[in-house]
Amino acid sequence: MSSLVPAHQHPLLYAIFARVWLHELSRAAKARVTLASVPDAALDRLAALGVDYVYLMGVWTLGQEGPRFSLTNPDLRAEYDRVLPDWTEADVVGSPFAVARYEVSPAFGGDAALADLRRRLASRGIGLLLDFVPNHVARDHHWVKEKPECFIAGDDGAPLSGRDPYIPPWPDTAQLDYRLASTRALSIEALRSVASRCDGVRCDMAMLVLDDVFRRTWSKRPPAERKAEATGEFWAEAIDAVRRDHPSFVFIAEAFWDLEWRLQMLGFDYTFDKSLYDRLSHASASSVRGHLAATPDYQRRSVRFIEHHDEPRIAAVLPPDRRRAAEFIAATVPGMRFIHHGQLEGRTVRASLHLARAPEEPVDQACLAFHERLLSAVRRPILRTGSFATLTPRGPGADAFVAYRWEPLPACGAPRSAAPLVAVVNFAPSRGGCRIPLDIAGIAGRKVLLVDLMTGNEHPRDGDELVDLSRGLGVELPAYGIHLFEIRR
């Protein structure tokens, strides 16, 4: 099967923790559900939401060492007590990022089940993304015995644990040595095998194997003697190798430390935008506006999220009004829009990466209704293929506002007659107002109707006033209030 290519420049990705999802589906069906027997209704719902890609996290086979560590580690046991008070030892299955073999876990139905699920998603126009963990493998990965020279060893000859230079090592992993050409060749073959099973990958901690980052992290450990050292960047070589067989394969990098642009230049289609997440979660409107002033190409290649498996549930850390404003911005600015499983329903407990299930939580109906309205608006072609630009709020309360517009780009699929959209957010904890001149072609000299897609309210306006720099669109909004106006001429 060739890689599926949704025709959107700004696609919607839905992230699912495979083991938790299958447990929930099995509980609902009162029978074991594998990747091959996921109900049609679950896939139809994803299609109805407008999902372009499903990122299915944690499908690969794990070993015995990882679960043993997960069961005995006192800090993890304290986490289990907190997030799943009725947990049992059978629930402890290990981290999905300590991969023992890049084959689909038999517990999920194996490779054949994944292939069947991929086919069913493709029939609904949805691509499938999986994990690739470049920096390390499980301590009982078959390479540890078969290719010991490809690992960084300690004084006792055993592989050292995988690490990031700023946090403690991951004890359930073994660190690969990316200074060696043989290690890179091994990893590229594994990545090509993964690419045969899906339409794209999310590369875990992708910046760790950048050449200078890796050499700096492991400078006190020389590479294995008599082994050829690699030159250049691993990612440039790996991405080229995969795309020779799969030209449209999608690469997403989890990245930090302001290395996103560098990874994009090495060939990644998208990089995680942790900076926007931090601004939406903790900072002010001016900080958000500054971030959205980045170059268009960087914006288009950014993954916009407000929660994922490494971050707290947004419903647990932000009050509902700010949460809605943050989620609205993340879903309506350029880039790949990332929705985390359970986010739509307002879940508050982040699932442990080491457990097979998560606690049951009631659906927050108001949260679900908001997301359904939002995703219905996001399905408009103009928000997937149009031209984005920030707008400049004016007046005494302007600093509290974030505003931008989308206009059609006919060459990219949105018809020229499509109505422009204007997003306005009062990103502050108090009521405020401002005026926003709209530099939108075709509205001067006309009466226009502003239809708020989030509420259905209609507001007739004079186009000449909207484009006037001294007047513009006048808005007043409550704390963290939002508008998404469709401007109908």
Side-chain angles (χ1 to χ4, degrees):
M1 179 186 290
S2 60
S3 293
L4 184 74
V5 190
H8 303 136
Q9 291 186 15
H10 311 285
L12 179 65
L13 178 149
Y14 193 93
I16 298 174
F17 194 1
R19 63 177 68 151
V20 171
W21 188 46
L22 293 179
H23 178 269
E24 291 171 352
L25 293 173
S26 298
R27 185 176 62 215
K30 296 182 173 57
R32 178 175 177 251
V33 173
T34 70
L35 295 175
S37 57
V38 171
D40 282 333
L43 304 184
D44 291 341
R45 179 174 183 259
L46 295 171
L49 291 171
V51 171
D52 296 299
Y53 291 104
V54 164
Y55 161 43
L56 198 58
M57 184 181 81
V59 303
W60 303 122
T61 297
L62 308 181
Q64 299 300 315
E65 291 295 322
R68 188 176 298 117
F69 164 78
S70 299
L71 183 60
T72 57
N73 182 274
D75 292 335
L76 289 174
R77 293 177 70 93
E79 176 187 290
Y80 309 155
D81 290 340
R82 184 175 67 255
V83 304
L84 192 68
D86 64 339
W87 71 276
T88 68
E89 290 191 1
D91 293 316
V92 182
V93 292
S95 167
F97 301 116
V99 176
R101 190 175 291 273
Y102 280 105
E103 296 172 358
V104 178
S105 170
F108 305 150
D111 285 339
L114 181 77
D116 188 64
L117 176 65
R118 183 186 180 196
R119 177 188 58 77
R120 294 168 65 206
L121 286 169
S123 72
R124 293 164 170 83
I126 301 173
L128 175 66
L129 272 61
L130 301 176
D131 294 305
F132 180 66
V133 186
N135 185 65
H136 49 261
V137 295
R139 297 201 68 81
D140 49 358
H141 190 286
H142 58 101
W143 289 347
V144 173
K145 288 185 177 179
E146 296 168 5
K147 304 287 183 179
E149 69 277 7
C150 291
F151 293 84
I152 295 182
D155 295 336
D156 60 357
L160 293 175
S161 296
R163 61 168 298 205
D164 160 326
Y166 302 108
I167 61 176
W170 299 290
D172 51 349
T173 68
Q175 178 65 57
L176 291 162
D177 192 345
Y178 272 82
R179 297 167 299 190
L180 302 179
S182 56
T183 302
R184 293 188 181 189
L186 202 62
S187 293
I188 288 171
E189 282 308 301
L191 181 55
R192 293 179 65 194
S193 173
V194 171
S196 69
R197 296 172 168 91
C198 58
D199 303 296
V201 284
R202 170 200 171 271
C203 297
D204 185 70
M205 303 290 280
M207 73 288 177
L208 290 182
V209 298
L210 289 171
D211 194 55
D212 61 330
V213 172
F214 193 91
R215 290 178 186 277
R216 188 166 60 248
T217 303
W218 295 102
S219 60
K220 295 181 180 179
R221 289 280 174 178
E225 294 181 9
R226 298 183 298 280
K227 291 293 177 181
E229 289 203 42
T231 59
E233 290 288 357
F234 166 75
W235 285 122
E237 183 182 356
I239 290 171
D240 284 350
V242 169
R243 287 193 173 139
R244 281 196 289 271
D245 296 326
H246 309 281
S248 56
F249 197 76
V250 175
F251 281 89
I252 301 175
E254 181 188 30
F256 307 103
W257 315 330
D258 296 323
L259 292 169
E260 294 86 351
W261 176 250
R262 185 170 160 196
L263 288 162
Q264 291 178 12
M265 292 301 96
L266 287 171
F268 277 93
D269 298 282
Y270 302 96
T271 56
F272 271 56
D273 188 0
K274 179 68 159 55
S275 293
L276 182 62
Y277 167 83
D278 288 337
R279 286 165 168 79
L280 292 174
S281 301
H282 313 298
S284 64
S286 61
S287 178
V288 174
R289 288 197 305 272
H291 190 69
L292 296 179
T295 62
D297 200 47
Y298 178 82
Q299 303 266 14
R300 181 181 62 78
R301 294 172 180 235
S302 294
V303 178
R304 316 296 197 168
F305 63 93
I306 199 62
E307 69 171 47
H308 67 76
H309 64 268
D310 277 335
E311 304 291 350
R313 287 286 190 182
I314 199 65
V317 296
L318 290 184
D321 53 359
R322 177 159 183 156
R323 178 182 37 168
R324 286 190 293 269
E327 290 175 318
F328 174 84
I329 292 172
T332 58
V333 297
M336 174 177 274
R337 291 84 183 241
F338 181 107
I339 299 293
H340 186 208
H341 182 61
Q343 178 182 337
L344 305 187
E345 295 80 12
R347 293 189 187 180
T348 60
V349 180
R350 179 180 61 181
S352 171
L353 290 178
H354 299 259
L355 296 179
R357 62 187 177 98
E360 296 183 53
E361 294 189 63
V363 174
D364 181 333
Q365 295 296 339
C367 183
L368 180 60
F370 166 79
H371 280 102
E372 288 176 342
R373 289 195 305 274
L374 176 60
L375 293 182
S376 176
V378 170
R379 294 195 69 174
R380 279 169 162 70
I382 195 170
L383 275 171
R384 302 297 189 94
T385 61
S387 170
F388 170 88
T390 57
L391 298 170
T392 304
R394 300 175 183 270
D399 196 53
F401 280 79
V402 177
Y404 42 90
R405 57 95 171 132
W406 287 86
E407 289 190 280
L409 271 178
C412 295
R416 189 178 296 278
S417 59
L421 297 182
V422 171
V424 183
V425 181
N426 175 16
F427 204 66
S430 58
R431 190 174 190 86
C434 69
R435 302 195 74 85
I436 307 168
L438 304 183
D439 60 341
I440 293 175
I443 65 173
R446 294 174 171 85
K447 299 295 183 183
V448 298
L449 187 66
L450 275 58
V451 180
D452 192 334
L453 300 180
M454 299 304 294
T455 64
N457 294 335
E458 299 182 355
H459 309 271
R461 291 290 187 271
D462 181 89
D464 287 333
E465 178 179 330
L466 295 178
V467 301
D468 191 321
L469 292 177
S470 64
R471 292 183 290 175
L473 171 65
V475 296
E476 185 173 345
L477 283 167
Y480 301 109
I482 59 178
H483 286 308
L484 183 60
F485 288 126
E486 185 173 72
I487 302 181
R488 300 177 184 172
R489 300 178 180 88

